[in-house]
């Protein structure tokens, strides 16, 4: 996208009326923006609610300003020529002062994007936007393995005009394929489908954020699939062990622990959020570290993949059951620690 197209999408998402240089402004406040820059959506949103404020870059140059409609034309000229805008907006704020460094939705601390866009800086700006779309607290595969290939594929998808929902749909088809392959004991091919699905699960969200095409339906579609499919995979894996002629002592109990544990982990996370208004995995450094390896889909797939490589999918299944039980206890302890902490002490360490 050009910076102007990106700004158009931001304005539409924020419910702001977009106007061009030739527009006659009559009443209200006007946010005048230099389209030679790439702005974080949060900066435009914050500036729209701050009349008389100018946004400046690190060198102190004004790149956007909120002014009364009567002075919008003057602001456009001054921004275009680089003239002083102090008479129009006495308050000057940097991106970090206007926006917040902590993103609660993505559970990370990172300054809002404000970058000059030129042919020379395009690649660096794309990398910055992609980095900004990543969650700060997630599993070790998503955090350390997927970023580089996901950035490449996200760019391919954007160039191909693919929508995030189309990527999610492909992922859903892979969910079904992996389920059938696990059920019939074709574990190797099932894992190929499963890992590609987890990769695309990273791509669709990043594509939505960097192209500003996220939607309520897309959010429900993506997160609904993420929430529902893991227990079905583990059930299919259990059935597949019998399909390949292996016996698994206490297999039914292990299945109950894995599926029940998956549900209970989600319940524990919900209880913590309801009690303290902060994500369990964002409370302390340990909690963020434990999210890397907690018994969710990707860490479980690592255990199962290693087991298949060793020729023992049954042992991998039992290992997932044991790890799920351990994680349940750890999350319960986290809740008890939160209850024992002084009032107001449970806040994200990333927001400090």
């Amino acid at each position: 996208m050009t910076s102007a197209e990106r700004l158009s999408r931001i304005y539409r998402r924020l419910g702001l009326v977009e106007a061009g240089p030739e527009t006659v402004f009559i009443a209200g406040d006007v946010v005048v923006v230099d389209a030679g820059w790439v702005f974080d959506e949060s900066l435009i949103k914050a500036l729209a609610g701050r009349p008389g404020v100018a946004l400046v870059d690190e060198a102190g140059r004004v790149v956007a300003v909120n002014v009364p409609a009567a002075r919008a034309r003057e602001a456009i000229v001054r921004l275009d020529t680089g003239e002083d805008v102090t008479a129009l907006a006495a308050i000057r704020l940097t991106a970090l002062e206007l926006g917040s460094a902590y993103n609660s939705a993505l559970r990370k601390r990172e300054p809002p994007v404000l970058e000059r866009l030129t042919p020379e800086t395009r690649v660096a700006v794309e990398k910055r936007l992609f980095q900004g779309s990543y969650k700060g607290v997630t599993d070790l595969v998503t955090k350390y393995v997927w970023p580089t290939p996901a950035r490449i594929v996200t760019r391919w998808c954007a160039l191909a005009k693919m929508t995030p929902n189309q990527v999610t749909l492909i992922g859903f088809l892979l969910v079904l394929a992996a389920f059938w392959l696990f059920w019939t004991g074709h574990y190797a091919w099932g894992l190929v489908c499963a890992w590609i699905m987890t990769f695309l699960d990273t791509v669709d969200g990043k594509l939505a954020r960097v192209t500003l095409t996220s939607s309520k339906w897309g959010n429900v579609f993506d997160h609904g699939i993420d929430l529902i499919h893991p227990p079905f995979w583990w059930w299919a894996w259990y059935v597949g062990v019998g399909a390949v002629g292996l016996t698994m002592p206490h297999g039914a109990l292990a299945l109950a622990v894995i599926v029940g544990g998956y549900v209970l982990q989600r319940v524990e996370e919900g209880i913590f959020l309801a009690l303290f208004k902060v994500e369990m995995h964002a409370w302390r450094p340990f909690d963020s570290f434990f999210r890397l390896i907690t018994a969710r889909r990707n860490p479980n797939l690592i255990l199962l993949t290693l087991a298949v490589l060793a020729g023992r999918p049954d042992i991998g299944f039992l290992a997932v059951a044991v790890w799920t039980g351990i994680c349940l206890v750890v999350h319960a302890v986290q809740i008890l620690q939160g209850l024992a902490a002084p009032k107001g002490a449970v806040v994200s360490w990333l927001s400090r």
Side-chain angles (χ1 to χ4, degrees), residues 22-331:
E22 304 306 318
T23 304
V24 177
F25 302 97
I26 298 178
D29 297 318
V30 177
V31 178
V32 182
V33 179
D34 185 341
W37 292 75
V38 173
F39 296 81
D40 196 294
E41 182 177 353
S42 65
L43 294 178
I44 303 299
K45 182 178 181 179
L47 188 63
R50 303 286 292 275
V53 170
L55 173 63
V56 300
D57 66 4
E58 294 180 352
R61 173 179 173 175
V62 176
V63 295
V65 62
N66 185 328
V67 297
R71 308 200 70 175
R73 180 69 51 196
E74 181 184 356
I76 292 173
V77 173
R78 287 179 178 270
L79 274 186
D80 192 41
T81 59
E83 296 180 44
D84 186 28
V85 298
T86 302
L88 304 177
I91 302 174
R92 300 190 178 203
L93 299 177
T94 64
L96 195 54
E97 292 171 328
L98 183 63
S100 173
Y102 178 62
N103 187 320
S104 58
L106 297 181
R107 300 193 294 273
K108 68 178 181 179
R109 186 176 183 84
E110 184 173 0
V113 174
L114 179 63
E115 299 283 351
R116 179 72 169 172
L117 183 62
T118 66
E120 293 74 28
T121 64
R122 179 188 61 80
V123 174
V125 170
E126 285 185 354
K127 288 182 178 179
R128 175 73 193 283
L129 287 173
F130 185 79
Q131 178 185 350
S133 72
Y134 245 90
K135 288 184 178 179
V137 180
T138 185
D139 65 87
L140 75 171
V141 177
T142 303
K143 190 175 182 69
Y144 298 118
V145 180
W146 290 154
T148 298
R151 183 171 64 83
I152 296 171
V153 173
T154 298
R155 191 171 194 276
W156 289 347
C157 291
L159 290 171
K161 306 299 182 183
M162 288 186 69
T163 67
N165 288 345
Q166 289 172 334
V167 178
T168 303
L169 178 59
I170 296 172
F172 176 64
L173 295 176
L174 288 168
V175 165
L176 299 179
F179 175 82
W180 182 80
L181 290 165
F182 291 158
W183 186 278
T184 56
H186 295 86
Y187 289 119
W189 284 112
L191 285 168
V192 169
C193 291
W195 280 117
I196 295 175
M197 182 273 165
T198 69
F199 175 71
L200 294 181
D201 188 36
T202 289
V203 171
D204 59 7
K206 310 305 173 290
L207 180 64
R209 294 187 193 107
V210 299
T211 61
L212 299 170
T213 53
S214 58
S215 64
K216 290 183 178 179
W217 158 244
N219 188 58
V220 171
F221 186 31
D222 180 32
H223 288 88
I225 293 172
D226 291 347
L227 184 66
I228 293 172
H229 81 267
F232 288 94
W233 276 4
W234 314 146
W235 174 37
W237 192 282
Y238 169 73
V239 173
V241 169
V244 297
L246 293 173
T247 59
M248 188 162 49
H250 310 296
L253 175 61
L255 177 64
V257 170
I258 293 173
V259 175
Y262 173 79
V263 174
L264 288 175
Q265 279 189 89
R266 294 287 186 161
V267 170
E268 288 176 322
E269 291 171 5
I271 290 173
F272 194 96
L273 183 61
L275 288 173
F276 308 112
K277 312 305 178 188
V278 63
E279 296 278 355
M280 172 186 286
H281 305 296
W283 177 20
R284 303 163 301 186
F286 168 80
D287 305 311
S288 296
F289 163 77
F290 196 72
R291 176 62 180 87
L292 293 171
I293 56 175
T294 196
R296 297 275 280 267
R297 182 192 62 200
N298 289 1
N300 286 351
L301 281 177
I302 292 175
L303 294 175
L304 295 173
T305 299
L306 293 174
V308 168
L309 291 175
R312 295 301 303 270
D314 54 330
I315 292 179
F317 190 78
L318 295 174
V320 169
V322 171
W323 182 234
T324 299
I326 293 172
C327 292
L328 274 174
V329 173
V330 172
H331 293 329

